[in-house]
Amino acid sequence: MDRARKYFKCTDGERAVFEAAIKLAMVFHQFVGVPVTRASARSLEKAIEEAVRIQPWVVRARARIDRRALVKTAGRYGYKSLDARMLVVEVETAYGRARARCSMRFVSELDYPLMCIDEVRLSGMK
Amino acid sequence: MDRARKYFKCTDGERAVFEAAIKLAMVFHQFVGVPVTRASARSLEKAIEEAVRIQPWVVRARARIDRRALVKTAGRYGYKSLDARMLVVEVETAYGRARARCSMRFVSELDYPLMCIDEVRLSGMK
Amino acid sequence: MDRARKYFKCTDGERAVFEAAIKLAMVFHQFVGVPVTRASARSLEKAIEEAVRIQPWVVRARARIDRRALVKTAGRYGYKSLDARMLVVEVETAYGRARARCSMRFVSELDYPLMCIDEVRLSGMK
Amino acid sequence: MDRARKYFKCTDGERAVFEAAIKLAMVFHQFVGVPVTRASARSLEKAIEEAVRIQPWVVRARARIDRRALVKTAGRYGYKSLDARMLVVEVETAYGRARARCSMRFVSELDYPLMCIDEVRLSGMK
């Protein structure tokens, strides 16, 4: 049951990808800028994943921060701030008969942190 | 032409709402928390609208901050931080044959800042 | 040793509180808006504390999210977004001969999330 | 008059730099990640400056985004997200007898976006 259903004029597939996009953009715009080191990366990944998972219609969430981007240079100022180049996020949503797998990753050929739709599936179809 | 096309396995309608959702969630997660008064609200609305408009596939963007929520209480600590209850955002995207109108507004009956799909239109259809 | 020392024209006490303020404002402006429930609050507190701790001159950091503010209302839209009213952050910094204890908490009489200086101590003083 | 005075155990100079640091860190952690182009940079600078100016004890604020960092590569994915390397922020605060000039800028020799204390002045001193 969806108490917000009346606010959506769309198909189940459209709703599923809409919800996935909200979560991917949340991760980018909420967490980019957080100070991070190799030692703290795991706790940050976990907080990101939980922030995604507790939102409506999410069935799976995964966040990975590239440790190679976190090689600490010497001294106190050697840590990094999370940026989209280090981040891979995958989210799967389910709404009605639709299921969507979407992700965010830095795409070198575009020089751009792309949020994309990997698959939309409809169940109960022949 | 979309240089990122190959990263999307979906319909034009799904892509259009996906792109709209990214922009709405950007506004929420990027701008909630900004200090704001009645005097500064217009410049913040304008910055939000431009941040939406320059992103891919957006054809229209509008942000409004409710001035009634910005009644300043006395003294230096009387300003507010932007929160989702004060904010209405509308965005329209176009991708291929599809056009989507989406919005974010606080919905009292849900006590929730809802991002929703107001309309998806396909052109060239009988 | 501080590789950035030449960029600071100030006393050790001023530097210690300056560094503490940076960390408190980081927490507010980075993390306000993160979706949170009672179940996810601990992972978020931990990520906040680590993001503070890895920054320069921090000797102690503590973040607490008020679980009473996270009573979930029914349904999928019942979770909350982190706001400053739910958050208490304490940070202690040390620079040269100075040590500062600073904190952020919501102060009811001001209706304001106040960042304040609880104590500045100088060692080696008679 | 400062209604929050009792929450601060410190000198006027310490308070002035504490307040300046809050504003600099607000800019970093709130605005890093905002989509920006050469065309939108001015509205974003203005929103940043106003968000600083309306906060307690600020007497002057200035934000500049380096247009050279905003050279748009071809196509829809050619815009940038605001990052600390493009950003210079200056803030001046006054509290009691103290005045502080502080700033944030990217320091190449540290490969770090440094927030620093340029000057603390006390008035009425011989």
Side-chain angles (χ1 to χ4, degrees), chain B residues 105-125:
Chain B
R105 72 194 66 238
F106 194 81
V107 174
S108 301
E109 64 170 321
L110 300 170
D111 192 36
Y112 186 82
L114 188 71
M115 301 179 197
C116 57
I117 302 178
D118 300 310
E119 186 185 28
V120 183
R121 255 177 319 147
L122 292 178
S123 62
M125 306 285 285

Side-chain angles (χ1 to χ4, degrees), chain C residues 31-84:
Chain C
F31 290 97
V32 163
V34 175
V36 61
T37 60
R38 286 190 172 190
S40 75
R42 186 60 203 128
S43 77
L44 185 52
E45 288 170 343
K46 202 157 172 294
I48 291 172
E49 289 174 347
E50 294 214 26
V52 173
R53 255 185 225 126
I54 63 175
Q55 289 185 79
W57 318 109
V58 173
V59 292
R60 203 178 67 84
R62 190 170 178 274
R64 284 299 172 270
I65 299 167
D66 185 354
R67 267 51 167 187
R68 290 167 302 179
L70 300 180
V71 179
K72 208 174 175 298
T73 51
R76 291 170 203 274
Y77 304 102
Y79 69 96
K80 301 287 182 260
S81 291
L82 187 69
D83 84 48

Side-chain angles (χ1 to χ4, degrees), chain A residues 36-105:
Chain A
V36 61
T37 61
R38 286 189 173 193
S40 74
R42 186 60 203 127
S43 75
L44 186 52
E45 288 170 344
K46 202 159 172 295
I48 291 171
E49 289 173 347
E50 294 215 23
V52 173
R53 257 186 225 124
I54 63 176
Q55 291 186 265
W57 318 110
V58 173
V59 291
R60 203 180 65 85
R62 189 170 177 274
R64 284 300 172 269
I65 299 167
D66 185 354
R67 268 47 169 193
R68 291 166 302 178
L70 299 179
V71 178
K72 208 175 174 296
T73 51
R76 292 171 202 274
Y77 304 102
Y79 68 96
K80 301 286 183 264
S81 292
L82 187 69
D83 83 48
R85 289 173 179 265
M86 328 170 170
L87 195 56
V88 177
V89 182
E90 299 168 2
V91 61
E92 196 168 335
T93 52
Y95 188 88
R97 293 187 313 113
R99 228 174 155 95
R101 279 193 306 110
C102 299
S103 58
M104 174 172 64
R105 72 194 67 237

Side-chain angles (χ1 to χ4, degrees), chain D residues 19 24 61 69 77 95 107 115 118:
Chain D
E19 295 293 333
L24 294 175
Y77 305 101
Y95 190 89
V107 173
M115 302 180 197
D118 300 310

Side-chain angles (χ1 to χ4, degrees), chain A residues 6-7 9 29-30 109, chain B residues 6-7 29-30 109 117:
Chain A
K6 68 181 173 194
Y7 297 99
K9 314 288 184 297
H29 293 285
Q30 189 72 58
E109 65 170 321
Chain B
K6 67 181 171 193
Y7 297 98
H29 293 285
Q30 190 71 58
E109 64 170 321
I117 302 178

